[in-house]
Amino acid sequence: MTEQHSSAFERGTDGPKVILVGVDGSDSSLRAAAYAGGLARRQRALLAVVYVQPVMAASSVLGAPVAETTDEIAEDIVAQIRDAAERLKGIFDVRWEFHTFRGDPYNGLVRAADELKADAVVVGASEQAGHRIVGSVAVRLVKAGRWPVTVVP
């Protein structure tokens, strides 16, 4: 006789139903989106593309139009994804949604993964040298231990 164990992570499926990918316009995040798209296609999962829009309260004091700039980045990312999806139409059949969350990248991705009930998270490797010391978003997501995390170089 075998014992059955239930896990908080298991959602009763044979694979991920929602694969979340964090994008910010960097080359590594766009490679992560391509990789996650392939995973979503093979698993017949929903690809949730998430851009975390930075919130910088001090920017209003400096007069920098940060909100407008980050809105433009989000719109540019959506346009890039739509263009890629149109070019690949018929080759890759992937269901995807684009979501924008506000906050710092780590907390925004955690909130997105929770709200969208992500089964897996894919992110690009950090391209910033300082993250080797402080720790990147990817490392923090892995340490959270709440979802399988794939880091794409």
Side-chain angles (χ1 to χ4, degrees):
M1 186 162 129
T2 60
E3 253 186 72
Q4 297 246 340
H5 295 281
S6 66
S7 170
F9 178 76
E10 180 63 42
R11 297 209 198 311
T13 64
D14 286 336
K17 288 295 180 193
V18 177
I19 297 173
L20 182 145
V21 61
V23 295
D24 61 6
S26 66
D27 288 343
S28 68
S29 79
L30 296 176
R31 285 191 298 271
Y35 181 83
L39 288 176
R41 179 183 53 82
R42 287 187 297 279
Q43 296 289 334
R44 292 179 171 76
L46 173 67
L47 177 63
V49 180
V50 174
Y51 169 62
V52 180
Q53 193 171 22
V55 175
M56 298 179 206
S59 65
S60 60
V61 175
L62 301 173
V66 174
E68 289 176 21
T69 302
T70 58
D71 284 342
E72 289 171 16
I73 292 169
E75 289 169 16
D76 185 51
I77 291 169
V78 171
Q80 288 179 44
I81 293 166
R82 285 183 205 266
D83 289 346
E86 194 60 37
R87 283 194 310 271
L88 300 174
K89 197 179 233 177
I91 298 172
F92 297 115
D93 186 20
V94 177
R95 293 178 303 122
W96 65 278
E97 300 173 349
F98 184 82
H99 300 271
T100 301
F101 286 78
R102 291 185 181 268
D104 68 274
Y106 170 76
N107 288 310
L109 288 174
V110 167
R111 198 171 88 237
D114 285 343
E115 287 184 21
L116 301 172
K117 295 183 174 42
D119 296 301
V121 176
V122 180
V123 292
S126 175
E127 295 178 348
Q128 296 180 4
H131 285 174
R132 291 189 188 98
I133 299 164
V134 178
S136 69
V137 171
V139 169
R140 292 175 67 195
L141 288 168
V142 170
K143 286 182 178 180
R146 295 170 56 187
W147 325 266
V149 177
T150 302
V151 182
V152 177

